Amino acid sequence: GIGFGLQNLASNFISGIILLLERPVKVGDRVELNDVWGDVKKINLRTTLVETPDRITIIVPNSKLLENDVINYSYGDPKIRLQIPVGIAYGSDCEKASEILLNVAAENKNVLAEPKPKTWFREFGDSSLNFILLCWIANAANKFDVISEINHAIDAGFRENGIEIPFPQRDLHLRSVNAAIQVHQEPPEGN
């Protein structure tokens, strides 16, 4: 047991040295690791402190930062492309929906004008015609705020133009089965 503990300790210590020398992740970077999203606050020799937007500090062993896939939104160019999925009801005007999506992106102050926003008509889904709105923002830290703003604007734009966002629907087919149903009726009381 002591050997495994020392092996883990040595692994995290060596990983800390690598992180401090190579700097694939540095203090201030916005990272995502195993569905944890936050800013790197401190890199120690054994652990790294990541603070989420909810001000929760997560202590990550340094070996996890080197062994697992880490998305570093601050590494290199801070711009990121958002992919916002939207489904519309069958029978809706696809061209109008695309136009609304592009207008919503263009009107958002956080969306960059270049590269221009665009839409993809991805597929005919079970209950909807599925689109993706693609747009660029300058800073990954604003990702969820911008997605929320855009979703609100899409909902308002679709409502104004009579485009319905469907909910999942299932058709139910009933078959009649010939079965003898016996009804037993009690005689009224007092007879």
Side-chain angles (χ1 to χ4, degrees):
I2 294 172
F4 284 122
L6 289 174
Q7 180 182 4
N8 192 16
L9 183 68
S11 174
N12 286 322
F13 182 77
I14 292 168
S15 297
I17 292 171
I18 292 170
L19 286 172
L20 291 170
L21 293 177
E22 287 187 7
R23 300 181 56 103
V25 175
K26 58 188 179 305
V27 173
D29 283 357
R30 175 64 54 112
V31 296
E32 186 176 342
L33 171 68
N34 296 334
D35 296 328
V36 173
W37 165 275
D39 296 321
V40 175
K41 290 298 179 185
K42 188 172 184 181
I43 300 175
N44 298 314
L45 285 177
R46 288 186 318 105
T47 60
T48 296
L49 304 179
V50 177
E51 186 177 278
T52 70
D54 300 324
R55 300 275 187 228
I56 297 170
T57 300
I58 299 171
I59 301 167
V60 181
N62 286 335
S63 60
K64 298 286 185 199
L65 291 173
L66 295 178
E67 294 170 358
N68 296 327
D69 292 335
V70 176
I71 300 170
N72 187 342
Y73 291 97
S74 305
Y75 195 83
D77 190 350
K79 289 186 300 194
I80 64 167
R81 184 172 78 172
L82 301 180
Q83 296 187 26
I84 302 170
V86 180
I88 63 173
Y90 276 91
S92 298
D93 184 344
C94 291
E95 294 300 321
K96 185 68 175 173
S98 247
E99 181 184 316
I100 292 167
L101 293 173
L102 292 173
N103 287 339
V104 162
E107 291 171 3
N108 188 292
K109 65 183 181 331
N110 292 304
V111 173
L112 300 175
E114 286 297 325
K116 290 183 179 183
K118 65 180 177 178
T119 60
W120 287 342
F121 184 168
R122 288 296 301 254
E123 64 186 356
F124 296 92
D126 289 339
S127 304
S128 62
L129 304 170
N130 296 325
F131 288 78
I132 292 184
L133 171 62
L134 303 156
C135 56
W136 290 85
I137 60 173
N139 188 347
N142 299 331
K143 175 182 177 179
F144 294 113
D145 292 331
V146 175
I147 289 173
S148 179
E149 291 169 6
I150 287 175
N151 281 337
H152 280 289
I154 289 170
D155 182 54
F158 281 1
R159 285 177 194 267
E160 288 173 13
N161 290 280
I163 295 176
E164 183 181 334
I165 298 175
F167 53 89
Q169 299 176 16
R170 300 287 180 251
D171 289 336
L172 179 63
H173 299 277
L174 300 175
R175 290 183 5 194
S176 63
V177 177
N178 291 336
I181 300 176
Q182 294 181 351
V183 177
H184 178 69
Q185 187 173 13
E186 293 286 328
E189 281 188 35
N191 286 342

